[in-house]
Amino acid sequence: MYTLGIETSCDETSAAVLKGYKVLSNITISSLHQHKKYGGVVPEIATRAHLANIDKVTSLALKESGCNFKRLKLVAVTKNPGLIGALVVGMNFAKALSLSLNLPLVGVNHLHAHLFAPFLNNLKELRFPFLGVVVSGGHSEFYMVKDFDCLSIIGQTRDDACGEVYDKLSVNYGFSYPGGPVIDRLYNPRYKKSFHFKCGKMGYDLSFSGIKTALIYKKKELSKSGKLDLRTKKKLLSSFQYSVIETIISTVLEIAKDTGVRRIVFGGGVVANSLLRQRLLEVSSQGLRVFLPDLEYSADNAAIVAGLGFYLYNKKGLKHSLGLKPESN
Ligand code: KG4
Ligand code: ZN
């Protein structure tokens, strides 16, 4: 059973071929370099890049998998959330394939697909319920997952997403976009408490915009008094990273304690963060089972879309008509 997955929700154009849940190929072309000078993704540029690259990634994915159009049994595509123009490109491409090859079509939620990542090539580990944590450039959400067709959001950011704040601060501090990898590299544990910054927390909801503003003002203040050298920036950003990651970890522990759930699944680009990974390893030794995706599957890619699409089709009988519409939010 071969599934073709298509992902175009943001700045990655990606196609993947899976045999069952085994990833045979996963090809991504990112338009990231075209957005760098703007300090964030420009929807129009992302959309045009998808148009230019969608057939290329699909051909490459088919070639690398050794599969061909005739052997495909299913097309899975990201239907929401994402940049609307970007989603439309992937959706129309997937619909055209579904129509011309007479294949069933399944649209999947991109955030749920992030939570499927640790189970690619590894379905035997998939058991419910689990706490799903999506931390990416556009989202920060805690889900109670009873199954992939039965998820409820139990906490989320009330303003900026976690990765978004990394991105904005990095640019504001004179470093590059995307900011997550930059700030992660600058992080020094010796400086984690040099400054005391706090993230907002209301129940299981989080807020990251306050800490972002605090760092921007602190930088301005130190800059005015001539005290803003690279070391001070490292201290400020290390204290920021420490506070953000500790807030996420403490919320996960709180939810686990309150609900009794022992399995925690992480997804989204921020999962690449080294402090988060280190802290999760420590948490795992306290009796919680933590599932992290391989780095290849943590950022946006089509293998997670194909995997979840196949699961929903195969286990839940889900199938969409050509009337399926992409939804931005
Ligand atoms: O999931 P993703 O590829 O795209 C979205 O759906 O948003 O996540 C991208 C986000 C960016 O905000 C990026 O700065 C962040 O993931 N990121 C990181 C790290 N690597 C990427 N954040 C913190 N630490 C990292 N090492
Ligand atoms: Zn994503």
Side-chain angles (χ1 to χ4, degrees):
M1 175 83 197
Y2 293 94
T3 303
L4 174 71
I6 300 286
E7 155 64 35
T8 61
S9 64
C10 191
D11 56 339
E12 270 89 25
T13 318
S14 186
V17 178
L18 268 59
K19 183 176 185 185
Y21 297 98
K22 187 172 186 295
V23 182
L24 300 182
S25 62
N26 189 28
I27 307 288
T28 302
I29 298 179
S30 176
S31 59
L32 184 69
H33 58 285
Q34 297 181 59
H35 306 285
K36 268 187 187 275
K37 68 176 170 192
Y38 303 104
V41 175
V42 181
E44 181 66 20
I45 294 177
T47 303
R48 285 170 190 268
H50 289 313
L51 271 174
N53 294 324
I54 186 94
D55 56 343
K56 204 182 297 172
V57 292
T58 305
S59 305
L60 287 171
L62 283 169
K63 193 168 167 209
E64 192 177 302
S65 68
C67 184
N68 56 40
F69 280 129
K70 279 196 191 132
R71 294 170 73 191
L72 289 175
K73 290 285 182 286
L74 177 69
V75 181
V77 63
T78 301
K79 69 173 169 60
N80 70 308
L83 306 170
I84 192 66
L87 289 168
V88 164
V89 175
M91 178 66 76
N92 283 344
F93 189 81
K95 282 182 184 174
L97 284 179
S98 158
L99 183 66
S100 57
L101 300 169
N102 197 22
L103 293 175
L105 174 76
V106 172
V108 307
N109 178 303
H110 173 87
L111 303 173
H112 303 173
H114 272 304
L115 295 176
F116 197 82
F119 308 108
L120 288 170
N121 303 315
N122 189 27
L123 194 74
K124 63 180 188 312
E125 288 292 356
L126 177 60
R127 249 162 274 149
F128 303 101
F130 64 76
L131 168 63
V133 185
V134 178
V135 273
S136 74
H139 296 270
S140 307
E141 272 143 25
F142 299 102
Y143 290 89
M144 187 53 67
V145 184
K146 295 192 176 145
D147 203 329
F148 276 105
D149 61 352
C150 186
L151 306 89
S152 49
I153 295 179
I154 56 171
Q156 60 188 317
T157 177
R158 294 209 180 165
D159 37 60
D160 294 13
C162 175
E164 180 184 1
V165 175
Y166 269 91
D167 295 339
K168 287 180 175 164
L169 280 178
S170 178
V171 172
N172 183 270
Y173 272 59
F175 301 111
S176 61
Y177 167 85
V182 178
I183 295 176
D184 196 11
R185 268 197 305 276
L186 291 174
Y187 178 77
N188 184 331
R190 274 192 297 145
Y191 299 152
K192 68 183 186 189
K193 289 185 179 166
S194 296
F195 292 87
H196 290 283
F197 295 118
K198 275 191 81 172
C199 301
K201 189 162 154 4
M202 296 126 292
Y204 302 150
D205 278 358
L206 305 178
S207 161
F208 295 112
S209 88
I211 193 169
K212 175 190 70 184
T213 310
L215 267 112
I216 292 172
Y217 277 103
K218 198 73 194 166
K219 188 205 103 182
K220 253 192 202 158
E221 180 193 315
L222 293 170
S223 172
K224 262 191 201 149
S225 53
K227 290 181 190 151
L228 192 74
D229 54 9
L230 180 61
R231 192 152 151 261
T232 310
K233 282 188 185 177
K234 281 187 185 171
K235 286 185 178 176
L236 287 160
L237 294 170
S238 297
S239 305
F240 157 76
Q241 170 151 304
Y242 180 70
S243 173
V244 167
I245 301 301
E246 283 310 310
T247 303
I248 293 171
I249 295 287
S250 65
T251 309
V252 164
L253 292 176
E254 187 185 336
I255 297 174
K257 187 163 169 251
D258 293 351
T259 62
V261 74
R262 310 309 295 162
R263 300 166 79 81
I264 323 283
V265 176
F266 269 77
V270 180
V271 172
N273 187 268
S274 53
L275 179 61
L276 179 66
R277 288 188 162 254
Q278 180 204 320
R279 290 290 287 119
L280 287 173
L281 266 181
E282 290 162 21
V283 164
S284 306
S285 62
Q286 293 168 24
L288 291 180
R289 186 85 200 275
V290 178
F291 294 87
L292 291 176
D294 292 343
L295 286 184
E296 185 189 352
Y297 306 125
S298 69
D300 291 350
N301 69 92
I304 58 175
V305 175
L308 179 57
F310 178 55
Y311 178 87
L312 293 172
Y313 175 77
N314 194 36
K315 302 252 194 246
K316 306 287 166 183
L318 184 71
K319 222 165 108 172
H320 287 114
S321 74
L322 292 176
L324 179 67
K325 286 198 170 52
E327 295 153 22
S328 61
N329 218 335

